[in-house]
Amino acid sequence: MENALPAPLDFTWPDEASLAAFRAWLQGVPSRAAVDRYLSDRRAAGASARSVIGRVKRQLVAFAANRARADLAATLAASSPSDRKLAKAAAAAIETLRGMPPPQPLIGDAVERWLPVRPVRAPHAVAIRTLADLTLRVPRRRRRCAGIAGLGP
């Protein structure tokens, strides 16, 4: 049996047709009707309308998480047309996220915020917890990674 790899996260902003379909779904339009109206050309043969709406929802959640807005990501992930309060909050979250620039690293940020999980273990093993700790190693050593076991150039 072949193992399916998870789809890579898409940190781009959804196009207007996708947003229109998602908003229509949030307002109570059935997913099939929303997708047929706004995304009929993008629905693959055999794909369900709910999967198309789910893909847009995951894209919005990933975008919010990439912009360091876990609160908006949680709101979007929990959004459902059956809960009017959450649907309204999701619509507001979309407007808040629209055009939001990616966050810039700050010297006090934790290393795990900017590095993938696997490479973070090595700096943590030598007490490097923040980007400030990491930058302290740069001027002292030409080969700053050489002193950290498990971390290469």
Side-chain angles (χ1 to χ4, degrees):
M1 177 179 246
E2 193 175 308
N3 287 338
L5 295 174
L9 290 178
D10 188 4
F11 298 124
T12 60
W13 184 250
D15 62 348
E16 291 304 316
S18 298
L19 284 175
F22 185 72
R23 282 190 178 129
W25 175 75
L26 279 177
Q27 292 174 359
V29 175
S31 57
R32 177 174 281 190
V35 170
D36 285 346
R37 178 164 184 175
Y38 297 105
L39 299 171
S40 60
D41 58 332
R42 296 196 206 145
R43 191 162 114 194
S48 72
R50 283 191 285 177
S51 71
V52 174
I53 295 294
R55 190 176 319 117
V56 175
K57 186 177 188 177
R58 285 188 301 277
Q59 187 176 1
L60 286 167
V61 169
F63 186 87
N66 180 260
R67 297 311 192 255
R69 292 299 306 262
D71 57 332
L72 298 179
T75 299
L76 288 164
S79 64
S80 168
S82 61
D83 187 341
R84 300 304 310 153
K85 188 174 180 180
L86 276 176
K88 197 172 195 179
I94 290 171
E95 289 309 312
T96 302
L97 287 171
R98 184 183 293 277
M100 184 178 271
Q104 297 298 313
L106 299 174
I107 197 76
D109 287 347
V111 175
E112 58 268 11
R113 181 169 180 205
W114 298 102
L115 295 176
V117 175
R118 194 169 171 195
V120 166
R121 293 182 196 135
H124 278 189
V126 291
I128 296 176
R129 302 276 180 214
T130 65
L131 295 179
D133 297 336
L134 187 61
T135 58
L136 288 175
R137 294 186 75 83
V138 174
R140 290 188 198 162
R141 297 186 179 117
R142 178 170 275 213
R143 295 180 348 136
R144 62 189 173 272
C145 297
I148 304 173
L151 193 62

